[in-house]
Amino acid sequence: MMRLRLRYLILLLSVAILTTYFIVFLPPSKPTNKALRLKVTHEDKSLTLKTKDNPLQIEWQYFDERSYIIKTVVNPGENPYSRNKFNQDASDNVPSNRDIPDTRHDECASKTWKKDLPSTSVIITFHNEARSALLRTIVSVLNRSPEHLIREIILVDDFSDDPTDASELANIQKVVVLRNNKREGLVRSRVRGADAAKGKILTFLDSHCECNVNWLEPLLERIVEDPTRVVCPVIDVINMDDFKYFGASADLRGGFEWNLVFKWEFLSFRERRQRASDPTRAIKTPMIAGGLFSIDKEYFEKTGKYDEMMDIWGGENLEISFRIWQCGGSLEIIPCSRVGHVFRKQHPYSFPGGSGNVFARNTKRAAEVWMDEYKNYYYAAVPVAKNVPIGNIQDRLLLRQKLNCKPFKWFLENVYPELKVPNQVDSPHGSISQGVMCVDTLGHLIGENVGLYTCHGGGGNQEWSYTKDHQIQHDHMCLTLPKPKPGLSVTLRTCKGYNNQKWLLISNNRTIKHLIYNLCLDSKSYKTKGLIVNNCDNVHSQRWSFSGLLET
Ligand SMILES: [Mn+2]
């Protein structure tokens, strides 16, 4: 007994000594940055591998990371955020092959993936990206993917100021560079990359990402099983100030409200419980964030790629999400696949045409093509969108018809039942006119009066709805009677459903009468006081027609 314990002790001691030896005395192994090997060309014999068997050959050549990055470092006195809206200094100081924490669930680490997966073309589009961030994206792809699964990395330089940002990277193995000769925006750049791709599967990445261990295999596997799946990694967070890498929650999916702006939302209790029993299972998502996903190339083409009349950025993720779901595919987040992304608070680049307009135009194109009558909920939430010109959508409508896609109602009922249809928009809406003049907010806010303006037929400030509880409403503001006294101005107040906000639209004599008092909406002094109330006497200045109300 005693002897056994002694033996055990000796064993333990020798293990401890050996470990110490290795820790203290072994030189730190230099991790080779395999990703930065240069391309082998037949013309250049110097780029062949030197092996022990064949000492005549010489070593691999490597891309010179330092000299590539040093050309665009932050100048002394320059704000490190000014060019990229993230801390470029911090990015430049992080090596391209740095270690990042493996943020997957333990069960992902022990999972094995199919061996016979097809290769993917990785497509990265960018406009004036920080060199260090772009290089790190490429290096993480090459270093953390099985070599045979990366067919190529296609960089689409969307007319960056400095063409050598991309052209120098063309020396790295597997990298192919395409440069636009004018600014095209994300959508057309991605389509250009996809058209050039030779891989069976397309993988789109942002230009400031870092792929984590085994990020690719679980994505490809889901698509091999069913090519109508469009799959995304969990998007981890690279801090924009210090570039530290954090794991994101895998209990999130993509959603939106009626303004059609993408948002992350927590999975329901039921889905979280399912995930707890199998943390590796795919998560169905109504919408994808759009920056990072994989899709079968043939399926991408069959389902209409992207809407190429969308400019710069925004709305394209909404369009592809509606389209894939409504036309028979599905969108998934794969929790065992992790890719870090630098999230920023603002866009680093310029938007020709203004970011708000471009976003509204792209979003409205998606709404007009895919949302059927439900697009009216979008216009109710974002009234300015009604007047944004969108160009021709005929091709996209034909595509929808050709693919025999389901109505938006199906999407709401089957994919996104959590998105509630607001009551307000069940109510009739339109303009309230008197001859050629229309009731108009004139851009006024809470507490101010409303006026009349020449009818323009474009909604916006002349768009009113008449709710079931008798309110006359624009956005969240309602026509309100401050006091039941003739001659007083009607004001805009937050809709509360109080009695002073209740009106009757009387169709036979076309008056708008307060529900309780004998006071009618009157335009007679609109130039000085805006709209007022007066004793109802059916004079011309009290006669209105409401385009949203059917004549009875
Ligand atoms: Mn991004």
Side-chain angles (χ1 to χ4, degrees), residues 129 205-209 291-292 313 341-344 347-349:
E129 183 57 272
L205 290 182
D206 253 10
S207 50
H208 33 262
C209 290
L292 297 66
W313 178 93
H341 170 256
V342 185
F343 287 91
R344 280 174 287 204
H347 284 283
Y349 44 74

PDB file of all heavy atoms in Angstrom, residues 129 205-209 291-292 313 341-344 347-349, ligand 1:
ATOM      1  N   GLU A 129     -11.513  49.567 -47.423  1.00  0.00           N
ATOM      2  CA  GLU A 129     -11.370  48.866 -46.141  1.00  0.00           C
ATOM      3  C   GLU A 129      -9.951  49.061 -45.605  1.00  0.00           C
ATOM      4  O   GLU A 129      -8.997  49.209 -46.404  1.00  0.00           O
ATOM      5  CB  GLU A 129     -11.659  47.376 -46.347  1.00  0.00           C
ATOM      6  CG  GLU A 129     -11.613  46.536 -45.089  1.00  0.00           C
ATOM      7  CD  GLU A 129     -12.573  47.033 -44.027  1.00  0.00           C
ATOM      8  OE1 GLU A 129     -12.156  47.906 -43.230  1.00  0.00           O
ATOM      9  OE2 GLU A 129     -13.726  46.569 -43.996  1.00  0.00           O
ATOM     10  N   LEU A 205     -18.661  37.090 -47.361  1.00  0.00           N
ATOM     11  CA  LEU A 205     -18.167  37.613 -46.080  1.00  0.00           C
ATOM     12  C   LEU A 205     -18.006  39.119 -46.186  1.00  0.00           C
ATOM     13  O   LEU A 205     -17.726  39.653 -47.263  1.00  0.00           O
ATOM     14  CB  LEU A 205     -16.799  37.005 -45.727  1.00  0.00           C
ATOM     15  CG  LEU A 205     -16.706  35.540 -45.334  1.00  0.00           C
ATOM     16  CD1 LEU A 205     -15.254  35.219 -44.993  1.00  0.00           C
ATOM     17  CD2 LEU A 205     -17.599  35.217 -44.135  1.00  0.00           C
ATOM     18  N   ASP A 206     -18.146  39.809 -45.049  1.00  0.00           N
ATOM     19  CA  ASP A 206     -17.773  41.208 -44.961  1.00  0.00           C
ATOM     20  C   ASP A 206     -16.250  41.315 -45.007  1.00  0.00           C
ATOM     21  O   ASP A 206     -15.555  40.313 -44.832  1.00  0.00           O
ATOM     22  CB  ASP A 206     -18.268  41.776 -43.617  1.00  0.00           C
ATOM     23  CG  ASP A 206     -19.457  42.693 -43.813  1.00  0.00           C
ATOM     24  OD1 ASP A 206     -19.986  42.736 -44.925  1.00  0.00           O
ATOM     25  OD2 ASP A 206     -19.842  43.371 -42.842  1.00  0.00           O
ATOM     26  N   SER A 207     -15.739  42.519 -45.155  1.00  0.00           N
ATOM     27  CA  SER A 207     -14.297  42.688 -45.308  1.00  0.00           C
ATOM     28  C   SER A 207     -13.581  42.953 -43.983  1.00  0.00           C
ATOM     29  O   SER A 207     -12.417  43.317 -43.974  1.00  0.00           O
ATOM     30  CB  SER A 207     -14.030  43.832 -46.281  1.00  0.00           C
ATOM     31  OG  SER A 207     -14.773  44.972 -45.905  1.00  0.00           O
ATOM     32  N   HIS A 208     -14.306  42.809 -42.852  1.00  0.00           N
ATOM     33  CA  HIS A 208     -13.669  43.009 -41.545  1.00  0.00           C
ATOM     34  C   HIS A 208     -14.147  41.912 -40.611  1.00  0.00           C
ATOM     35  O   HIS A 208     -14.846  42.162 -39.624  1.00  0.00           O
ATOM     36  CB  HIS A 208     -13.986  44.399 -40.976  1.00  0.00           C
ATOM     37  CG  HIS A 208     -15.356  44.873 -41.377  1.00  0.00           C
ATOM     38  ND1 HIS A 208     -15.573  45.721 -42.433  1.00  0.00           N
ATOM     39  CD2 HIS A 208     -16.573  44.557 -40.896  1.00  0.00           C
ATOM     40  CE1 HIS A 208     -16.862  45.925 -42.574  1.00  0.00           C
ATOM     41  NE2 HIS A 208     -17.497  45.223 -41.654  1.00  0.00           N
ATOM     42  N   CYS A 209     -13.782  40.670 -40.966  1.00  0.00           N
ATOM     43  CA  CYS A 209     -14.223  39.482 -40.230  1.00  0.00           C
ATOM     44  C   CYS A 209     -13.019  38.660 -39.790  1.00  0.00           C
ATOM     45  O   CYS A 209     -11.913  38.878 -40.256  1.00  0.00           O
ATOM     46  CB  CYS A 209     -15.069  38.589 -41.132  1.00  0.00           C
ATOM     47  SG  CYS A 209     -16.669  39.270 -41.520  1.00  0.00           S
ATOM     48  N   GLY A 291     -24.571  40.130 -44.097  1.00  0.00           N
ATOM     49  CA  GLY A 291     -23.148  40.275 -44.393  1.00  0.00           C
ATOM     50  C   GLY A 291     -22.438  38.951 -44.629  1.00  0.00           C
ATOM     51  O   GLY A 291     -21.536  38.866 -45.453  1.00  0.00           O
ATOM     52  N   LEU A 292     -22.836  37.913 -43.906  1.00  0.00           N
ATOM     53  CA  LEU A 292     -22.100  36.648 -43.907  1.00  0.00           C
ATOM     54  C   LEU A 292     -23.071  35.492 -44.122  1.00  0.00           C
ATOM     55  O   LEU A 292     -23.916  35.233 -43.267  1.00  0.00           O
ATOM     56  CB  LEU A 292     -21.415  36.428 -42.549  1.00  0.00           C
ATOM     57  CG  LEU A 292     -20.331  37.361 -42.027  1.00  0.00           C
ATOM     58  CD1 LEU A 292     -20.845  38.749 -41.740  1.00  0.00           C
ATOM     59  CD2 LEU A 292     -19.716  36.788 -40.771  1.00  0.00           C
ATOM     60  N   TRP A 313     -25.944  49.876 -50.236  1.00  0.00           N
ATOM     61  CA  TRP A 313     -26.068  49.007 -49.059  1.00  0.00           C
ATOM     62  C   TRP A 313     -27.469  49.149 -48.497  1.00  0.00           C
ATOM     63  O   TRP A 313     -28.088  50.191 -48.633  1.00  0.00           O
ATOM     64  CB  TRP A 313     -25.042  49.447 -47.988  1.00  0.00           C
ATOM     65  CG  TRP A 313     -25.082  48.669 -46.715  1.00  0.00           C
ATOM     66  CD1 TRP A 313     -24.339  47.566 -46.385  1.00  0.00           C
ATOM     67  CD2 TRP A 313     -25.923  48.929 -45.569  1.00  0.00           C
ATOM     68  NE1 TRP A 313     -24.669  47.127 -45.139  1.00  0.00           N
ATOM     69  CE2 TRP A 313     -25.629  47.941 -44.621  1.00  0.00           C
ATOM     70  CE3 TRP A 313     -26.894  49.885 -45.281  1.00  0.00           C
ATOM     71  CZ2 TRP A 313     -26.266  47.890 -43.373  1.00  0.00           C
ATOM     72  CZ3 TRP A 313     -27.532  49.829 -44.054  1.00  0.00           C
ATOM     73  CH2 TRP A 313     -27.207  48.850 -43.105  1.00  0.00           C
ATOM     74  N   HIS A 341     -17.005  39.647 -36.363  1.00  0.00           N
ATOM     75  CA  HIS A 341     -17.267  40.783 -37.247  1.00  0.00           C
ATOM     76  C   HIS A 341     -17.117  42.069 -36.434  1.00  0.00           C
ATOM     77  O   HIS A 341     -17.528  42.119 -35.277  1.00  0.00           O
ATOM     78  CB  HIS A 341     -18.701  40.651 -37.792  1.00  0.00           C
ATOM     79  CG  HIS A 341     -19.193  41.862 -38.524  1.00  0.00           C
ATOM     80  ND1 HIS A 341     -20.095  42.747 -37.963  1.00  0.00           N
ATOM     81  CD2 HIS A 341     -18.916  42.341 -39.754  1.00  0.00           C
ATOM     82  CE1 HIS A 341     -20.354  43.705 -38.835  1.00  0.00           C
ATOM     83  NE2 HIS A 341     -19.656  43.488 -39.922  1.00  0.00           N
ATOM     84  N   VAL A 342     -16.520  43.084 -37.037  1.00  0.00           N
ATOM     85  CA  VAL A 342     -16.388  44.374 -36.345  1.00  0.00           C
ATOM     86  C   VAL A 342     -17.705  45.131 -36.511  1.00  0.00           C
ATOM     87  O   VAL A 342     -18.042  45.558 -37.621  1.00  0.00           O
ATOM     88  CB  VAL A 342     -15.234  45.211 -36.929  1.00  0.00           C
ATOM     89  CG1 VAL A 342     -15.043  46.489 -36.116  1.00  0.00           C
ATOM     90  CG2 VAL A 342     -13.948  44.409 -36.982  1.00  0.00           C
ATOM     91  N   PHE A 343     -18.470  45.253 -35.432  1.00  0.00           N
ATOM     92  CA  PHE A 343     -19.709  46.025 -35.477  1.00  0.00           C
ATOM     93  C   PHE A 343     -19.383  47.488 -35.211  1.00  0.00           C
ATOM     94  O   PHE A 343     -18.637  47.802 -34.295  1.00  0.00           O
ATOM     95  CB  PHE A 343     -20.692  45.522 -34.411  1.00  0.00           C
ATOM     96  CG  PHE A 343     -21.307  44.189 -34.746  1.00  0.00           C
ATOM     97  CD1 PHE A 343     -20.724  43.006 -34.318  1.00  0.00           C
ATOM     98  CD2 PHE A 343     -22.465  44.120 -35.502  1.00  0.00           C
ATOM     99  CE1 PHE A 343     -21.279  41.780 -34.636  1.00  0.00           C
ATOM    100  CE2 PHE A 343     -23.040  42.901 -35.821  1.00  0.00           C
ATOM    101  CZ  PHE A 343     -22.446  41.722 -35.389  1.00  0.00           C
ATOM    102  N   ARG A 344     -19.957  48.359 -36.033  1.00  0.00           N
ATOM    103  CA  ARG A 344     -19.692  49.792 -35.881  1.00  0.00           C
ATOM    104  C   ARG A 344     -20.963  50.551 -35.631  1.00  0.00           C
ATOM    105  O   ARG A 344     -22.049  50.049 -35.882  1.00  0.00           O
ATOM    106  CB  ARG A 344     -19.056  50.332 -37.160  1.00  0.00           C
ATOM    107  CG  ARG A 344     -17.606  50.037 -37.265  1.00  0.00           C
ATOM    108  CD  ARG A 344     -17.096  50.465 -38.605  1.00  0.00           C
ATOM    109  NE  ARG A 344     -17.566  49.571 -39.641  1.00  0.00           N
ATOM    110  CZ  ARG A 344     -16.940  49.404 -40.797  1.00  0.00           C
ATOM    111  NH1 ARG A 344     -15.856  50.084 -41.047  1.00  0.00           N
ATOM    112  NH2 ARG A 344     -17.412  48.572 -41.694  1.00  0.00           N
ATOM    113  N   HIS A 347     -21.654  54.196 -40.689  1.00  0.00           N
ATOM    114  CA  HIS A 347     -21.020  53.773 -41.927  1.00  0.00           C
ATOM    115  C   HIS A 347     -19.740  54.542 -42.153  1.00  0.00           C
ATOM    116  O   HIS A 347     -19.705  55.744 -42.000  1.00  0.00           O
ATOM    117  CB  HIS A 347     -21.948  54.007 -43.110  1.00  0.00           C
ATOM    118  CG  HIS A 347     -23.026  53.004 -43.182  1.00  0.00           C
ATOM    119  ND1 HIS A 347     -22.806  51.733 -43.643  1.00  0.00           N
ATOM    120  CD2 HIS A 347     -24.311  53.056 -42.812  1.00  0.00           C
ATOM    121  CE1 HIS A 347     -23.928  51.054 -43.552  1.00  0.00           C
ATOM    122  NE2 HIS A 347     -24.859  51.832 -43.058  1.00  0.00           N
ATOM    123  N   PRO A 348     -18.679  53.838 -42.542  1.00  0.00           N
ATOM    124  CA  PRO A 348     -17.411  54.520 -42.756  1.00  0.00           C
ATOM    125  C   PRO A 348     -17.331  55.187 -44.123  1.00  0.00           C
ATOM    126  O   PRO A 348     -16.510  56.038 -44.347  1.00  0.00           O
ATOM    127  CB  PRO A 348     -16.399  53.391 -42.665  1.00  0.00           C
ATOM    128  CG  PRO A 348     -17.134  52.181 -43.121  1.00  0.00           C
ATOM    129  CD  PRO A 348     -18.568  52.391 -42.713  1.00  0.00           C
ATOM    130  N   TYR A 349     -18.198  54.764 -45.038  1.00  0.00           N
ATOM    131  CA  TYR A 349     -18.018  55.252 -46.408  1.00  0.00           C
ATOM    132  C   TYR A 349     -19.187  56.133 -46.824  1.00  0.00           C
ATOM    133  O   TYR A 349     -20.215  56.197 -46.174  1.00  0.00           O
ATOM    134  CB  TYR A 349     -17.878  54.089 -47.379  1.00  0.00           C
ATOM    135  CG  TYR A 349     -18.849  52.970 -47.161  1.00  0.00           C
ATOM    136  CD1 TYR A 349     -20.185  53.098 -47.505  1.00  0.00           C
ATOM    137  CD2 TYR A 349     -18.430  51.772 -46.579  1.00  0.00           C
ATOM    138  CE1 TYR A 349     -21.077  52.069 -47.299  1.00  0.00           C
ATOM    139  CE2 TYR A 349     -19.324  50.737 -46.364  1.00  0.00           C
ATOM    140  CZ  TYR A 349     -20.644  50.889 -46.732  1.00  0.00           C
ATOM    141  OH  TYR A 349     -21.522  49.877 -46.522  1.00  0.00           O
TER     142      TYR A 349
HETATM  143 MN    MN B   1     -19.752  44.944 -41.660  1.00  0.00          MN
END
